[in-house]
Amino acid sequence: MTRTVLAVDDSRTMRDMLRLALTEVGIKAHFAEDGVHGLEVLEGLEPDAIITDINMPRMDGFGFISAVRKRPEYRGVPILVLTTESAPELKQRAREAGATGWIVKPFDPAKLVRAIDMVAG
């Protein structure tokens, strides 16, 4: 079974690293540059998991997570935050918005895939 993941990050380098890490293990990856674009890409997509950065233009990760959670069809989709931030209050804010987990950049590709496998069932 092929997993589908939406990754939202304003850094092209990070999107390229995620593309490599995910496609290498057979995950079908879709990408967006910020929260607004992420919501557009999400239309009609049935992701097994979503990965999002926090600090992005137009709509940050917190706004994106909240917007995704407001849509009934995406309430059960795990959302992993992938960010350079590690402050406990930001993790708490992400959890309150509806995030499932938190991964600090730079990420280990194998650990990221294991985290997706864990949350996506």
Side-chain angles (χ1 to χ4, degrees):
M1 181 188 86
T2 303
R3 289 196 194 283
T4 300
V5 170
L6 169 62
V8 184
D9 199 302
D10 60 322
S11 161
R12 172 174 284 149
T13 303
M14 188 54 60
R15 289 194 307 272
D16 288 345
M17 290 169 65
L18 285 164
R19 179 177 284 112
L20 189 64
L22 298 173
T23 57
E24 200 170 70
V25 295
I27 293 173
K28 186 172 184 188
H30 299 264
F31 296 92
E33 299 168 5
D34 59 34
V36 173
H37 188 215
L39 293 174
E40 292 167 3
V41 174
L42 192 58
E43 273 315 307
L45 199 62
E46 293 181 16
D48 296 297
I50 296 171
I51 299 167
T52 184
D53 189 12
I54 290 296
N55 301 312
M56 299 181 288
R58 295 202 301 167
M59 179 189 284
D60 69 10
F62 299 119
F64 174 70
I65 293 166
S66 295
V68 170
R69 290 298 182 224
K70 285 181 182 143
R71 299 182 180 191
E73 66 270 34
Y74 300 117
R75 285 209 182 112
V77 177
I79 300 176
L80 295 173
V81 174
L82 179 64
T83 183
T84 54
E85 304 288 347
S86 60
E89 60 273 13
L90 293 177
K91 291 181 184 180
Q92 181 61 36
R93 190 171 159 204
R95 269 195 298 276
E96 287 168 2
T100 311
W102 189 278
I103 299 167
V104 177
K105 294 175 187 173
F107 69 94
D108 173 309
K111 285 183 182 170
L112 177 69
V113 170
R114 276 199 303 278
I116 291 168
D117 287 343
M118 278 175 45
V119 298

